[in-house]
Amino acid sequence: MKNIFLFPGQGAQFQGMMMDLYESSSMAKKTIDKFSEISGENIVALLRDTDISVLSRTDKSQLAITAASLAMVAALKEKGIEPEAVAGFSLGEFSALCVSGILCFEDTVKIVKVRGEIMQKVCDEIAEKALEGEKPGMAAVLGLTPDVVQKTLAPYGDVSREEAVFPTNLNSPRQTVVSGTAKGLVLAENLCKEVGAKRVVVLKVAGPFHSPLMEKAATAFVSELEKITFNNPKIKCFSNVTGKAVASGEEAKANAVEHIVKAVRWTEEESAIAEFAEGFAEEWQLLEVGPGKTLCGLWRDSGFGEKASCLPAGTLEQLETL
Protein backbone atom coordinates (compact mmCIF):
# COMPACT_ATOMS: atom_id res chain seq x y z
CA MET A 1 0.00 0.00 0.00
CA LYS A 2 1.35 3.40 -1.03
CA ASN A 3 0.67 6.30 1.32
CA ILE A 4 0.28 10.04 0.76
CA PHE A 5 0.38 12.18 3.89
CA LEU A 6 -1.90 15.22 4.27
CA PHE A 7 -1.29 17.70 7.09
CA PRO A 8 -4.06 19.84 8.64
CA GLY A 9 -3.98 23.56 9.27
CA GLN A 10 -5.25 25.91 11.95
CA GLY A 11 -8.64 25.05 13.35
CA ALA A 12 -7.76 21.39 13.87
CA GLN A 13 -6.28 21.98 17.33
CA PHE A 14 -7.85 20.72 20.55
CA GLN A 15 -6.66 20.58 24.14
CA GLY A 16 -4.85 17.32 24.89
CA MET A 17 -4.02 16.43 21.30
CA MET A 18 -1.18 13.97 20.79
CA MET A 19 -0.77 13.23 24.50
CA ASP A 20 -1.74 9.59 23.95
CA LEU A 21 1.12 9.30 21.44
CA TYR A 22 3.52 11.18 23.69
CA GLU A 23 2.97 8.61 26.42
CA SER A 24 3.09 5.52 24.17
CA SER A 25 5.53 6.22 21.32
CA SER A 26 9.18 6.86 22.07
CA MET A 27 9.66 8.51 18.68
CA ALA A 28 6.66 10.81 19.12
CA LYS A 29 7.93 11.78 22.58
CA LYS A 30 11.40 12.45 21.20
CA THR A 31 9.94 14.63 18.44
CA ILE A 32 7.85 16.76 20.81
CA ASP A 33 10.71 17.12 23.29
CA LYS A 34 13.03 18.21 20.46
CA PHE A 35 10.37 20.65 19.29
CA SER A 36 10.33 22.16 22.80
CA GLU A 37 14.11 22.42 22.89
CA ILE A 38 14.37 24.24 19.56
CA SER A 39 11.35 26.52 20.00
CA GLY A 40 12.02 27.42 23.62
CA GLU A 41 8.37 26.62 24.37
CA ASN A 42 6.98 23.90 26.64
CA ILE A 43 5.18 22.00 23.88
CA VAL A 44 3.85 19.31 26.22
CA ALA A 45 2.15 21.98 28.34
CA LEU A 46 0.93 23.71 25.18
CA LEU A 47 -0.68 20.51 23.90
CA ARG A 48 -1.92 19.13 27.21
CA ASP A 49 -2.87 22.09 29.39
CA THR A 50 -3.63 25.11 27.22
CA ASP A 51 -7.23 26.28 27.12
CA ILE A 52 -8.70 26.18 23.62
CA SER A 53 -9.25 29.97 23.60
CA VAL A 54 -5.49 30.49 24.02
CA LEU A 55 -4.56 27.52 21.83
CA SER A 56 -6.55 29.12 19.00
CA ARG A 57 -4.22 32.15 18.88
CA THR A 58 -2.22 31.82 15.68
CA ASP A 59 1.12 32.11 17.52
CA LYS A 60 0.12 29.13 19.70
CA SER A 61 -1.85 26.99 17.26
CA GLN A 62 0.87 27.03 14.59
CA LEU A 63 3.41 25.59 17.02
CA ALA A 64 0.97 23.09 18.52
CA ILE A 65 -0.41 21.70 15.27
CA THR A 66 2.99 21.39 13.62
CA ALA A 67 4.44 19.63 16.67
CA ALA A 68 1.46 17.27 16.81
CA SER A 69 1.66 16.48 13.09
CA LEU A 70 5.40 15.80 13.07
CA ALA A 71 5.10 13.67 16.22
CA MET A 72 2.55 11.51 14.40
CA VAL A 73 4.91 11.27 11.41
CA ALA A 74 7.55 9.87 13.79
CA ALA A 75 5.06 7.38 15.23
CA LEU A 76 4.02 6.26 11.75
CA LYS A 77 7.64 5.77 10.71
CA GLU A 78 8.17 3.76 13.88
CA LYS A 79 5.46 1.48 12.51
CA GLY A 80 7.07 1.34 9.07
CA ILE A 81 4.57 3.68 7.39
CA GLU A 82 6.21 6.35 5.22
CA PRO A 83 4.85 8.62 2.46
CA GLU A 84 5.36 8.62 -1.28
CA ALA A 85 4.20 12.24 -1.38
CA VAL A 86 2.99 14.96 0.99
CA ALA A 87 0.70 17.97 1.02
CA GLY A 88 -0.46 20.31 3.75
CA PHE A 89 -3.46 22.56 4.10
CA SER A 90 -2.48 26.15 4.96
CA LEU A 91 -0.17 25.88 8.02
CA GLY A 92 0.07 22.15 7.30
CA GLU A 93 2.24 22.94 4.29
CA PHE A 94 5.17 23.52 6.64
CA SER A 95 4.88 19.97 8.00
CA ALA A 96 4.86 18.82 4.37
CA LEU A 97 7.97 20.88 3.61
CA CYS A 98 9.71 19.20 6.53
CA VAL A 99 8.73 15.63 5.67
CA SER A 100 9.64 16.13 2.00
CA GLY A 101 13.14 17.26 2.98
CA ILE A 102 12.70 20.82 1.72
CA LEU A 103 13.14 22.08 5.28
CA CYS A 104 15.15 20.36 8.00
CA PHE A 105 13.39 19.72 11.32
CA GLU A 106 15.18 22.51 13.18
CA ASP A 107 14.42 25.12 10.54
CA THR A 108 10.79 23.99 10.39
CA VAL A 109 10.38 24.63 14.10
CA LYS A 110 12.09 28.01 13.88
CA ILE A 111 10.13 29.23 10.89
CA VAL A 112 6.75 28.06 12.19
CA LYS A 113 7.37 29.85 15.47
CA VAL A 114 8.36 33.15 13.88
CA ARG A 115 5.56 32.88 11.29
CA GLY A 116 3.00 32.48 14.06
CA GLU A 117 4.44 35.44 15.97
CA ILE A 118 4.46 37.69 12.90
CA MET A 119 0.91 36.78 11.92
CA GLN A 120 -0.39 37.19 15.49
CA LYS A 121 1.21 40.65 15.73
CA VAL A 122 -0.49 41.75 12.51
CA CYS A 123 -3.82 40.29 13.65
CA ASP A 124 -3.51 42.13 16.99
CA GLU A 125 -2.76 45.39 15.18
CA ILE A 126 -5.80 44.89 12.92
CA ALA A 127 -8.02 44.20 15.94
CA GLU A 128 -6.75 47.28 17.80
CA LYS A 129 -7.48 49.59 14.87
CA ALA A 130 -10.92 48.12 14.10
CA LEU A 131 -14.07 49.56 15.58
CA GLU A 132 -16.37 47.28 17.58
CA GLY A 133 -17.82 44.73 15.18
CA GLU A 134 -15.61 45.92 12.31
CA LYS A 135 -12.74 43.42 12.60
CA PRO A 136 -11.64 41.69 9.37
CA GLY A 137 -11.94 37.91 9.31
CA MET A 138 -13.02 34.86 7.34
CA ALA A 139 -16.27 33.11 6.41
CA ALA A 140 -17.14 29.79 4.78
CA VAL A 141 -19.43 29.90 1.75
CA LEU A 142 -21.33 26.63 1.48
CA GLY A 143 -23.11 25.27 -1.58
CA LEU A 144 -21.22 27.05 -4.36
CA THR A 145 -18.22 25.98 -6.44
CA PRO A 146 -14.99 27.97 -6.05
CA ASP A 147 -15.35 29.27 -9.62
CA VAL A 148 -18.75 30.83 -8.85
CA VAL A 149 -17.47 32.42 -5.63
CA GLN A 150 -14.41 33.81 -7.41
CA LYS A 151 -16.48 35.25 -10.25
CA THR A 152 -19.05 36.75 -7.87
CA LEU A 153 -16.49 38.48 -5.65
CA ALA A 154 -13.94 39.47 -8.31
CA PRO A 155 -15.00 43.16 -8.39
CA TYR A 156 -14.27 43.49 -4.67
CA GLY A 157 -10.71 42.13 -4.54
CA ASP A 158 -9.06 45.45 -3.79
CA VAL A 159 -7.57 46.18 -0.35
CA SER A 160 -8.39 49.87 -0.70
CA ARG A 161 -12.13 49.17 -0.65
CA GLU A 162 -14.06 49.25 2.63
CA GLU A 163 -15.83 46.08 1.50
CA ALA A 164 -12.71 44.25 0.28
CA VAL A 165 -13.14 40.47 0.15
CA PHE A 166 -11.14 37.60 -1.35
CA PRO A 167 -11.76 33.86 -1.98
CA THR A 168 -8.92 32.35 0.06
CA ASN A 169 -9.48 28.65 0.75
CA LEU A 170 -10.72 26.77 -2.31
CA ASN A 171 -11.67 23.76 -0.24
CA SER A 172 -14.07 21.63 -2.30
CA PRO A 173 -16.70 21.81 -5.03
CA ARG A 174 -19.16 22.77 -2.29
CA GLN A 175 -17.11 24.97 0.04
CA THR A 176 -14.98 28.10 -0.35
CA VAL A 177 -13.64 30.24 2.48
CA VAL A 178 -13.36 33.99 1.94
CA SER A 179 -11.30 36.59 3.83
CA GLY A 180 -12.22 40.23 4.04
CA THR A 181 -13.01 43.36 5.95
CA ALA A 182 -16.12 43.27 8.14
CA LYS A 183 -18.10 45.04 5.42
CA GLY A 184 -16.56 42.76 2.81
CA LEU A 185 -17.78 39.66 4.63
CA VAL A 186 -21.31 41.07 4.86
CA LEU A 187 -21.21 41.90 1.16
CA ALA A 188 -19.90 38.41 0.33
CA GLU A 189 -22.73 36.79 2.28
CA ASN A 190 -25.36 38.82 0.46
CA LEU A 191 -23.88 38.36 -3.01
CA CYS A 192 -23.18 34.64 -2.60
CA LYS A 193 -26.68 33.94 -1.28
CA GLU A 194 -28.09 35.78 -4.29
CA VAL A 195 -26.35 33.30 -6.62
CA GLY A 196 -27.33 30.20 -4.65
CA ALA A 197 -25.13 29.74 -1.57
CA LYS A 198 -26.90 27.64 1.05
CA ARG A 199 -25.13 29.23 4.01
CA VAL A 200 -22.33 31.63 4.84
CA VAL A 201 -20.69 30.95 8.21
CA VAL A 202 -18.35 33.44 9.87
CA LEU A 203 -15.30 31.60 11.24
CA LYS A 204 -13.68 32.12 14.64
CA VAL A 205 -10.19 33.02 13.45
CA ALA A 206 -7.61 35.63 14.41
CA GLY A 207 -7.53 37.44 11.08
CA PRO A 208 -8.14 37.53 7.30
CA PHE A 209 -5.62 34.83 6.43
CA HIS A 210 -4.41 34.00 2.90
CA SER A 211 -5.45 37.40 1.59
CA PRO A 212 -3.72 40.67 0.62
CA LEU A 213 -4.98 42.08 3.93
CA MET A 214 -2.05 40.15 5.49
CA GLU A 215 0.56 41.83 3.27
CA LYS A 216 2.37 43.34 6.27
CA ALA A 217 2.96 39.85 7.67
CA ALA A 218 4.30 38.61 4.32
CA THR A 219 6.73 41.52 4.12
CA ALA A 220 8.04 40.83 7.64
CA PHE A 221 8.35 37.11 6.82
CA VAL A 222 10.71 37.74 3.89
CA SER A 223 13.65 38.76 6.08
CA GLU A 224 13.14 35.75 8.36
CA LEU A 225 13.24 33.35 5.42
CA GLU A 226 16.67 34.66 4.44
CA LYS A 227 18.02 32.78 7.47
CA ILE A 228 16.52 29.46 6.31
CA THR A 229 17.80 26.92 3.78
CA PHE A 230 15.23 25.49 1.37
CA ASN A 231 16.41 22.25 -0.28
CA ASN A 232 15.03 20.53 -3.34
CA PRO A 233 12.30 18.01 -2.40
CA LYS A 234 13.28 14.38 -1.83
CA ILE A 235 9.69 13.24 -2.39
CA LYS A 236 6.73 14.92 -4.09
CA CYS A 237 5.45 17.92 -2.14
CA PHE A 238 2.38 19.78 -3.37
CA SER A 239 1.90 23.54 -2.95
CA ASN A 240 -1.15 25.52 -1.82
CA VAL A 241 0.03 28.50 -3.86
CA THR A 242 0.22 26.74 -7.24
CA GLY A 243 -1.90 23.64 -6.67
CA LYS A 244 0.99 21.65 -8.19
CA ALA A 245 4.10 19.77 -7.08
CA VAL A 246 7.01 21.93 -5.91
CA ALA A 247 9.87 21.81 -8.40
CA SER A 248 12.71 23.19 -6.27
CA GLY A 249 13.75 24.64 -2.95
CA GLU A 250 13.91 28.07 -4.56
CA GLU A 251 10.27 27.78 -5.60
CA ALA A 252 9.27 26.56 -2.14
CA LYS A 253 10.94 29.59 -0.55
CA ALA A 254 9.08 32.01 -2.82
CA ASN A 255 5.83 30.18 -2.17
CA ALA A 256 6.32 30.46 1.60
CA VAL A 257 5.93 34.24 1.33
CA GLU A 258 3.11 34.13 -1.21
CA HIS A 259 1.38 31.59 1.01
CA ILE A 260 0.47 34.30 3.54
CA VAL A 261 -1.41 36.46 1.02
CA LYS A 262 -2.53 33.99 -1.67
CA ALA A 263 -5.40 31.51 -1.74
CA VAL A 264 -5.07 27.87 -0.72
CA ARG A 265 -5.78 26.06 -4.00
CA TRP A 266 -6.77 22.82 -2.33
CA THR A 267 -9.12 21.49 -5.01
CA GLU A 268 -6.33 21.82 -7.59
CA GLU A 269 -3.89 20.17 -5.21
CA GLU A 270 -6.21 17.18 -4.78
CA SER A 271 -6.42 16.82 -8.56
CA ALA A 272 -2.62 16.92 -8.83
CA ILE A 273 -2.29 14.31 -6.08
CA ALA A 274 -4.78 12.00 -7.80
CA GLU A 275 -2.97 12.39 -11.13
CA PHE A 276 0.39 11.63 -9.51
CA ALA A 277 -0.97 8.53 -7.74
CA GLU A 278 -2.35 7.09 -10.98
CA GLY A 279 1.24 6.09 -11.72
CA PHE A 280 1.38 3.74 -8.73
CA ALA A 281 1.46 0.05 -9.58
CA GLU A 282 -0.38 -0.82 -6.36
CA GLU A 283 -3.19 0.45 -4.18
CA TRP A 284 -2.79 3.78 -2.43
CA GLN A 285 -4.42 5.77 0.32
CA LEU A 286 -4.18 9.15 1.98
CA LEU A 287 -3.54 9.65 5.68
CA GLU A 288 -4.52 12.87 7.45
CA VAL A 289 -1.51 13.10 9.74
CA GLY A 290 -2.28 15.28 12.74
CA PRO A 291 -5.39 16.41 14.64
CA GLY A 292 -8.85 16.28 13.10
CA LYS A 293 -10.57 14.79 10.06
CA THR A 294 -11.23 17.90 7.94
CA LEU A 295 -9.01 16.92 5.03
CA CYS A 296 -10.54 13.45 4.85
CA GLY A 297 -13.93 15.14 4.48
CA LEU A 298 -12.67 17.44 1.74
CA TRP A 299 -11.15 14.47 -0.12
CA ARG A 300 -14.50 12.70 0.04
CA ASP A 301 -16.27 15.80 -1.30
CA SER A 302 -13.74 16.17 -4.10
CA GLY A 303 -15.02 13.12 -5.95
CA PHE A 304 -11.65 11.38 -5.73
CA GLY A 305 -12.81 9.22 -2.81
CA GLU A 306 -13.64 6.48 -5.32
CA LYS A 307 -9.98 6.31 -6.34
CA ALA A 308 -8.58 6.00 -2.81
CA SER A 309 -9.65 6.37 0.78
CA CYS A 310 -8.46 9.04 3.21
CA LEU A 311 -8.00 7.88 6.80
CA PRO A 312 -7.39 10.02 9.90
CA ALA A 313 -4.09 9.47 11.73
CA GLY A 314 -4.19 11.80 14.70
CA THR A 315 -4.62 9.60 17.76
CA LEU A 316 -3.12 6.42 19.18
CA GLU A 317 -6.35 4.53 18.45
CA GLN A 318 -6.29 5.63 14.81
CA LEU A 319 -2.61 4.73 14.49
CA GLU A 320 -3.27 1.24 15.79
CA THR A 321 -5.88 0.58 13.09
CA LEU A 322 -3.44 1.29 10.23
Side-chain angles (χ1 to χ4, degrees):
M1 176 71 74
K2 300 285 189 181
N3 295 289
I4 296 174
F5 287 5
L6 306 181
F7 298 100
Q10 292 182 80
Q13 68 274 1
F14 62 89
Q15 187 175 350
M17 61 182 177
M18 214 52 60
M19 283 298 94
D20 52 355
L21 262 293
Y22 185 81
E23 295 167 358
S24 61
S25 165
S26 62
M27 292 304 294
K29 182 179 186 301
K30 182 178 179 181
T31 299
I32 290 173
D33 289 345
K34 189 68 174 176
F35 210 101
S36 295
E37 179 186 332
I38 297 168
S39 67
E41 300 273 351
N42 187 336
I43 300 299
V44 173
L46 182 63
L47 296 173
R48 183 187 60 206
D49 305 325
T50 307
D51 181 80
I52 190 62
S53 62
V54 176
L55 193 58
S56 295
R57 286 174 53 92
T58 193
D59 55 345
K60 301 299 181 185
S61 62
Q62 293 201 37
L63 277 174
I65 293 168
T66 306
S69 295
L70 295 180
M72 179 56 82
V73 169
L76 286 164
K77 288 186 176 182
E78 199 173 17
K79 195 173 180 178
I81 300 173
E82 301 204 32
E84 300 295 319
V86 291
F89 186 93
S90 188
L91 165 69
E93 186 154 305
F94 287 86
S95 294
L97 292 174
C98 181
V99 175
S100 68
I102 293 174
L103 290 177
C104 69
F105 182 84
E106 182 173 354
D107 282 347
T108 301
V109 178
K110 290 178 179 178
I111 206 62
V112 167
K113 180 178 182 181
V114 74
R115 181 178 185 268
E117 291 171 347
I118 288 171
M119 291 174 67
Q120 187 64 53
K121 182 179 179 181
V122 171
C123 289
D124 289 343
E125 290 175 357
I126 289 173
E128 287 174 6
K129 293 177 182 178
L131 299 173
E132 185 67 28
E134 293 293 316
K135 180 182 173 184
M138 303 177 78
V141 179
L142 307 178
L144 293 178
T145 65
D147 286 346
V148 171
V149 176
Q150 289 176 309
K151 182 178 179 180
T152 301
L153 301 182
Y156 307 96
D158 182 345
V159 293
S160 66
R161 299 183 68 114
E162 287 188 355
E163 68 276 68
V165 64
F166 309 86
T168 47
N169 292 356
L170 314 183
N171 289 349
S172 81
R174 297 183 292 182
Q175 180 190 124
T176 299
V177 172
V178 300
S179 295
T181 63
K183 289 181 180 179
L185 294 181
V186 172
L187 178 71
E189 179 174 6
N190 293 335
L191 291 177
C192 288
K193 284 184 175 179
E194 285 178 8
V195 295
K198 294 180 179 178
R199 285 194 303 152
V200 177
V201 182
V202 176
L203 304 179
K204 295 180 180 179
V205 294
F209 300 135
H210 295 292
S211 80
L213 295 169
M214 295 295 293
E215 182 64 42
K216 188 173 181 179
T219 300
F221 199 43
V222 171
S223 61
E224 296 297 335
L225 289 179
E226 293 306 316
K227 309 169 189 176
I228 302 297
T229 299
F230 283 72
N231 306 300
N232 292 333
K234 294 180 180 177
I235 61 173
K236 286 282 185 182
C237 179
F238 296 88
S239 165
N240 291 172
V241 174
T242 65
K244 302 174 182 178
V246 177
S248 67
E250 183 178 353
E251 179 191 339
K253 188 173 187 176
N255 286 348
V257 178
E258 294 287 286
H259 195 249
I260 292 177
V261 295
K262 293 289 185 69
V264 174
R265 312 189 73 83
W266 193 248
T267 53
E268 294 174 38
E269 231 170 308
E270 289 176 320
S271 295
I273 289 169
E275 183 178 356
F276 165 69
E278 284 178 359
F280 294 158
E282 59 186 274
E283 286 187 77
W284 58 284
Q285 64 182 4
L286 296 98
L287 299 179
E288 184 168 355
V289 181
K293 303 177 183 179
T294 298
L295 302 184
C296 286
L298 295 182
W299 179 257
R300 181 186 63 245
D301 292 344
S302 71
F304 293 119
E306 295 179 0
K307 294 179 177 289
S309 60
C310 182
L311 303 175
T315 66
L316 176 60
E317 182 179 1
Q318 290 165 353
L319 176 65
E320 290 175 340
T321 64
L322 299 176

